[in-house]
Amino acid sequence: RSNDDGDVGLALKTRPKTKRPPLYKVMLLNDDYTPMEFVVLVLERFFGIGHAHATEIMLTVHKKGLAVVGVFPFEIAETKVQQVMEFARRHQHPLQCTMEKE
Ligand code: TYC
């Protein structure tokens, strides 16, 4: 069909498509060896989290085993994970950072 607006109306239900990108949770995992201060530094440096909140998040990971530290579109989440993993590797800490679709 066609209409006076000139669209051919292939989409029969014409809802304007404003699809948001899927978001990904970036998580830190606990381990027995990474120093607490190093984890706090990671949260400050790569996630822009202030010292007090970074300390709270680090203690949550320490106690519960993991915590979500941020939620981002895929490419940004992937970059955060890479940055944290590389930083931990360079300092020879076993800290693990992962992402999963929200
Ligand atoms: N469990 C570590 C310790 O006792 C601290 C730690 C916290 C390690 C958070 C990793 O993601 C982590 N030194």
Side-chain angles (χ1 to χ4, degrees):
R1 66 164 177 81
S2 65
N3 62 30
D4 295 345
D5 297 338
D7 85 70
V8 294
L10 263 183
L12 294 178
K13 295 274 165 44
T14 57
R15 127 181 77 92
K17 66 168 179 200
T18 58
K19 220 168 63 190
R20 296 172 304 282
L23 294 176
Y24 290 78
K25 299 180 286 193
V26 172
M27 291 160 301
L28 281 185
L29 277 54
N30 190 37
D31 66 72
D32 291 341
Y33 305 105
T34 304
M36 291 184 171
E37 321 82 73
F38 184 83
V39 178
V40 171
L41 176 61
V42 161
L43 292 167
E44 292 172 342
R45 177 179 295 202
F46 298 109
F47 297 91
I49 299 170
H51 192 77
H53 190 214
T55 302
E56 290 177 353
I57 294 172
M58 180 279 297
L59 287 173
T60 298
V61 178
H62 178 68
K63 284 196 285 190
K64 310 260 181 164
L66 87 178
V68 175
V69 301
V71 177
F72 308 97
F74 181 85
E75 276 193 41
I76 294 172
E78 203 185 32
T79 301
K80 302 280 183 201
V81 169
Q82 283 171 359
Q83 288 173 331
V84 171
M85 293 300 284
E86 171 61 14
F87 190 61
R89 191 201 60 78
R90 250 176 47 220
H91 289 84
Q92 303 193 333
H93 296 311
L95 180 64
Q96 294 292 309
C97 183
T98 64
M99 60 191 274
E100 92 179 17
K101 199 168 177 182
E102 199 176 51

